[in-house]
Amino acid sequence: MAAIPHHIAIVMDGNGRWATRRFLPRVAGHKKGLDALRVCVRHCGEVGVKVLTVFAFSSENWNRPPEEVSGLMELLAGALSREVPQLHGEGVRIHFIGDRSRLSDKVQAGLAQAEKATAGNTRLVFNICFNYGGRWDVAQAAACLAARGEPITEHSLDRAMALAHVSDPDLLIRTGGEQRISNFLLWQAAYSELYFSDKLWPDFDPAALDAAIADYGRRERRFGRTSEQTTPARQAA
Ligand code: IPE
Ligand code: IPE
Ligand code: MG
């Protein structure tokens, strides 16, 4: 059986285009995107992925039209009440990653509550990056160390990053056809396998995820070594 990535990270891109193609408002695409995410989380649990990290709202997404930003905030608030009990029932542990200070007090309380309620779950760790940027993460980690008077090393920075509770992503997927990182996991994606899908996020179904996982299974991860070092069988051949 091909290797299943322990940690999958996803840039869920293409909601707006999905809606625009149907002459719908962009927020309708984000709603469909939430449906796709629900299915994706469940499928990850079923196939044995242990950590799923998704990019839901970037530090730069505040620059979108105000009605889209408020639609996304409402979607988050609604998801907190509607989705969390279900995820809890499925053994999912939720973490919100990002700068919460700009979110409303009510949403901040909802995030903390969701994390607390699911803290004992072990089936799947689900990190939701919201108001997140890779540069923000590096800067906040460095600021944290500086405030504590600790030396800045690769190890100490890594420990102070927002995803210190999980290993780095093995597979990083971006849907929607663009091939860029858009300020997602700049630090943690150092050795992630990258997979780009032309499917728009609302169309990214379990079969598409299986295809990405199968593609990952065919990659050779070398981490700077040679192919011969990585695959002993080749050395013998
Ligand atoms: C990604 O979909 C979701 C968010 C950024 C919140 P987009 O809204 O970026 O969709 P496109 O790229 O415009 O199609
Ligand atoms: C990245 O998508 C952010 C999320 C998916 C939340 P964007 O649509 O914001 O990225 P760019 O603007 O195309 O780089
Ligand atoms: Mg986009």
Side-chain angles (χ1 to χ4, degrees):
M1 205 183 78
I4 296 285
H6 175 84
H7 181 175
I8 295 182
I10 309 183
V11 179
M12 308 183 291
D13 194 24
N15 294 347
R17 276 163 286 165
W18 186 94
T20 306
R21 281 177 198 175
R22 288 164 179 76
F23 306 102
L24 295 168
R26 292 178 59 87
V27 173
H30 297 313
K31 284 202 182 112
K32 267 286 177 192
L34 180 59
D35 293 342
L37 179 56
R38 193 182 302 115
V39 173
C40 177
V41 174
R42 190 163 303 149
H43 194 61
C44 280
E46 283 165 3
V47 300
V49 171
K50 299 312 284 180
V51 184
L52 174 67
T53 300
V54 298
F55 205 4
F57 189 88
S58 77
S59 317
E60 291 74 27
N61 288 148
W62 293 106
N63 297 323
R64 293 195 176 196
E67 63 276 13
E68 182 169 349
V69 172
S70 54
L72 284 161
M73 295 301 147
E74 278 167 33
L75 212 54
L76 172 64
L80 283 172
S81 52
R82 278 193 291 275
E83 311 286 341
V84 172
Q86 175 80 16
L87 290 169
H88 182 41
E90 291 171 18
V92 176
R93 179 172 187 174
I94 302 171
H95 292 270
F96 286 94
I97 310 298
D99 181 1
R100 303 179 186 202
S101 64
R102 211 170 150 182
L103 306 177
S104 74
D105 289 348
K106 189 162 178 269
V107 166
Q108 287 192 41
L111 304 185
Q113 174 56 30
E115 290 180 333
K116 196 166 161 234
T118 62
N121 293 340
T122 55
R123 187 156 190 244
L124 175 74
V125 174
F126 181 31
N127 300 309
I128 302 162
C129 297
F130 201 96
N131 194 17
Y132 170 88
R135 288 177 176 176
W136 163 82
D137 197 8
V138 174
Q140 70 76 25
C144 233
L145 295 175
R148 298 202 296 251
E150 288 178 27
I152 293 181
T153 65
E154 276 194 32
H155 180 75
S156 67
L157 256 184
D158 194 61
R159 295 295 84 207
M161 304 285 287
L163 282 178
H165 59 289
V166 291
S167 57
D168 287 345
D170 301 292
L171 172 63
L172 193 158
I173 298 170
R174 180 171 184 142
T175 64
E178 313 289 358
Q179 303 195 352
R180 55 176 171 255
I181 208 100
S182 298
N183 200 15
F184 196 36
L185 311 176
L186 297 182
W187 176 271
Q188 298 87 346
Y191 274 101
S192 302
E193 295 296 326
L194 307 180
Y195 181 88
F196 299 102
S197 167
D198 286 333
K199 275 189 189 288
L200 304 176
W201 173 250
D203 296 326
F204 197 79
D205 57 10
L209 184 60
D210 286 342
I213 292 173
D215 196 89
Y216 169 84
R218 292 189 288 272
R219 306 279 179 95
E220 184 187 59
R221 305 186 75 188
R222 289 195 285 275
F223 299 99
R225 294 167 182 259
T226 66
S227 198
E228 287 70 20
Q229 287 175 303
T230 317
T231 321
R234 278 185 202 209
Q235 211 172 6

